[in-house]
Amino acid sequence: MSTLAQASTWWGRNVRLMLRNPAGVGGAVMTPAVFLLCFTALFDRILAAQGLDAGQRLPPAVLVQGLMAAGTGAGVLAAIDARTGMVARSRALPVSRASVFLGRLGADALRFLLTTAALLLVGALLGFGFHGGALYVVAFVALALLSVTAYATACIWLGFATRDEEIVMSILALPFLLLFMLSSGIVPAERFPDWIEPLIRESPISRTIEALRALAEGGDVAATLPVAVAWLVGLTALGGAGAVRAYGRTS
Amino acid sequence: MSAVAVLAGRALRLGARNPGVLVQTLIFPLLLLAVFMIAFEDVMPTPGGIDYAQRLVPLLVLTGASFGGMALAGAVLRERDEGVADRLRALPLPPGTVLAGRVVGETLRVVLSGVVLTAAGYVVGFRFSAGIAGALGYWLLLSLVAGTFALLFVAVGMRVRAVETILLTNPLLLVLMFLSPGFVPLEAFPTWLQDVVEVNPYTSIIDAALGLTSSGAVTGPLLRSVAWCLAASAVAAVIAVRAERAR
């Protein structure tokens, strides 16, 4: 069996497990939508005072944040697999290491796709729209999925490395919210204090959100998209290498 | 009485050694204070000339008390599962001592975190500018709120059967936190939502704290805060006492 065929077997196992826990899936789908409603209510007037349209500005940002929140779930599931011995058993099988990892990530991608769809639906009700062609929409969704892949690989790495879902949950409960606040997701980078502005502007989260906004606008994306993709591919490679290594060390 | 003190000290030490409680009570609100000041101070409207830090500090005391309380409820539940609660009950103590000790310890935890958060608020611009009486009122209000949250979450920890049930309070706490005038002033909310914000108990408490430390009405919000706290404490006390007897 090729790595890909093995990966699809793992994928099937993970998807079946996921479907047996509909509450978890529902949470991952609904939470970002609720966050979007909250942030729009909070910032609609404040952003309007800055000459910004919250309806168009917030959905891509909250999508990235919501996907990060959903990405922590991948780390939790990886930790459970490592703790309960599932990883040890799969390592004893004559299958490639990457296939286990790809199967995990592929099943999560399905969940992330649902999150994205739910968020775009609520976003559309709040005034969000795509102003480019179908290609831009496809690129938007692909970039969103790439962004969560980068984050989820790091979470899976943590899950395999710690083998304790409680540690994973408590470590990952905070960063995504704080990192999101410290990006151009809500407030534009130039409205941050001068000393931190360059960091805000260059953070991978800001870069991703700006690229998603450009894709939704449907205009020129040459200035934003390549930087975002470079960041995300780099982070995914780093997280993936770490995750596969940690998987190899799990006993 | 000294038994209550010993048990309160035990609750306090357990909290300090529990990373979940420590992070949620202290680290998370401190980080939020820093991040909110950095991200939003520049764009936030300041009705009545009230500094943003002035709103944030009371909100973050509430945040630390509530999310830390959630971690505490989990710890109470674990003690029940592990049999520690039964061992404490086997001690020759008057009824209610264990419960009282835990509530006192938890109240102290929230008050201590309030002291740290208020001190950190001073670094970013929080000030007591409404006189000594106002400052005193602020600390009394904070203690009352601390006692209420302690009772509430001890009651939750004694009543529920599974950690998942405790986690269900998470979205509720987030909504209470966001839909209050601590994060964004009331005037910035959409008109239809302002009515909802005004009903939120956090709003009464934050408004009272604003009145006591800077400017604005004091009596109305303060009376509402006290009413909310007493009502919530009464319900929580009934639940906790009944859960204690039922064992």
Side-chain angles (χ1 to χ4, degrees):
Chain A
M1 248 168 53
S2 72
T3 300
L4 222 54
Q6 291 165 7
S8 92
T9 307
W10 288 117
W11 181 83
R13 176 245 175 195
N14 291 330
V15 169
R16 279 193 296 280
L17 272 180
M18 192 171 87
L19 292 179
R20 272 182 219 156
N21 178 17
V25 180
V29 172
M30 289 312 299
T31 311
V34 171
F35 261 109
L36 180 59
L37 286 170
C38 272
F39 280 130
T40 306
L42 288 169
F43 286 101
D44 195 38
R45 287 192 180 182
I46 291 171
L47 290 174
Q50 307 282 322
L52 297 165
D53 172 21
Q56 189 67 17
R57 179 178 178 78
L58 293 184
V62 179
L63 176 61
V64 169
Q65 189 224 265
L67 285 173
M68 282 166 82
T72 61
V76 170
L77 293 173
I80 292 176
D81 274 355
R83 181 175 59 78
T84 56
M86 190 61 207
V87 168
R89 284 186 63 184
S90 56
R91 269 206 318 173
L93 294 172
V95 296
S96 87
R97 281 182 188 181
S99 76
V100 183
F101 182 66
L102 286 175
R104 166 87 275 144
L105 209 53
D108 289 320
L110 195 65
R111 204 158 41 94
F112 301 148
L113 213 54
L114 289 173
T115 305
T116 308
L119 194 111
L120 290 180
L121 204 69
V122 177
L125 295 175
L126 296 170
F128 178 73
F130 289 99
H131 302 295
L135 199 63
Y136 283 94
V137 180
V138 173
F140 181 97
V141 174
L143 183 63
L145 286 183
L146 181 61
S147 78
V148 65
T149 305
Y151 190 71
T153 47
C155 296
I156 293 173
W157 179 3
L158 186 69
F160 282 154
T162 59
R163 276 169 268 162
D164 184 335
E165 65 267 25
E166 277 192 38
I167 293 182
V168 173
M169 270 193 265
S170 58
I171 292 181
L172 294 180
L174 304 178
F176 77 87
L177 195 62
L178 298 174
L179 286 173
F180 171 65
M181 300 275 183
L182 292 178
S183 79
S184 58
I186 298 176
V187 178
E190 59 267 24
R191 300 311 303 265
F192 279 80
D194 288 342
W195 59 272
I196 203 171
E197 193 196 313
L199 282 178
I200 304 289
R201 201 180 291 279
E202 297 304 326
S203 98
I205 299 179
S206 300
R207 288 295 194 178
T208 307
I209 292 172
E210 296 302 340
L212 287 173
R213 282 180 183 144
L215 285 168
E217 287 307 326
D220 186 15
V221 293
T224 49
L225 194 55
V227 188
V229 171
W231 257 121
L232 295 174
V233 170
L235 289 174
T236 308
L238 197 70
V244 172
R245 252 172 74 96
Y247 169 79
R249 285 188 181 165
T250 319
S251 54
Chain B
M1 207 57 222
S2 63
V4 173
V6 170
L7 287 164
R10 168 183 174 273
L12 208 55
R13 281 194 299 279
L14 277 178
R17 280 182 208 153
N18 181 328
V21 174
L22 195 65
V23 165
Q24 295 285 9
T25 313
L26 217 50
I27 317 265
F28 188 42
L30 280 174
L31 285 173
L32 278 182
L33 179 67
V35 166
F36 284 175
M37 284 305 287
I38 291 171
F40 303 125
E41 196 193 9
D42 196 38
V43 296
M44 205 54 77
T46 50
I50 295 176
D51 202 86
Y52 191 37
Q54 217 71 25
R55 311 180 163 276
L56 276 182
V57 168
L59 174 70
L60 292 174
V61 170
L62 289 168
T63 306
S66 57
F67 285 99
M70 230 171 75
L72 155 77
V76 172
L77 175 66
R78 200 159 49 243
E79 285 201 349
R80 274 164 56 200
D81 287 344
E82 288 170 354
V84 180
D86 288 330
R87 287 186 60 183
L88 287 175
R89 266 168 58 86
L91 295 172
L93 293 170
T97 313
V98 176
L99 182 60
R102 190 181 280 287
V103 172
V104 171
E106 288 314 317
T107 307
L108 283 175
R109 178 181 61 80
V110 178
V111 171
L112 281 178
S113 81
V115 171
V116 174
L117 280 167
T118 308
Y122 250 78
V123 178
V124 292
F126 177 89
R127 292 290 178 271
F128 288 106
S129 51
I132 304 270
L136 203 63
Y138 171 87
W139 291 111
L140 285 176
L141 175 65
L142 196 149
S143 310
L144 179 67
V145 168
T148 307
F149 273 108
L151 256 174
L152 270 176
F153 280 102
V154 167
V156 169
M158 290 173 70
R159 183 78 176 77
V160 300
R161 295 219 176 81
V163 182
E164 284 75 16
T165 322
I166 298 173
L167 288 178
L168 281 180
T169 55
N170 197 21
L172 175 71
L173 296 179
L174 277 176
V175 169
L176 284 171
M177 172 182 152
F178 279 133
L179 298 187
S180 78
F183 191 27
V184 164
L186 181 67
E187 294 80 355
F189 284 94
T191 317
W192 60 271
L193 205 59
Q194 292 187 3
D195 297 336
V196 181
V197 175
E198 300 223 46
V199 184
N200 183 353
Y202 279 28
T203 302
S204 303
I205 296 166
I206 291 166
D207 281 346
L210 282 175
L212 289 166
T213 59
S214 44
S215 61
V218 175
T219 319
L222 194 57
L223 285 178
R224 279 198 297 279
S225 306
V226 173
W228 271 115
C229 286
L230 292 183
S233 301
V235 173
V238 170
I239 293 173
V241 169
R242 283 181 61 170
E244 177 89 350
R245 283 211 194 115
R247 293 177 55 81

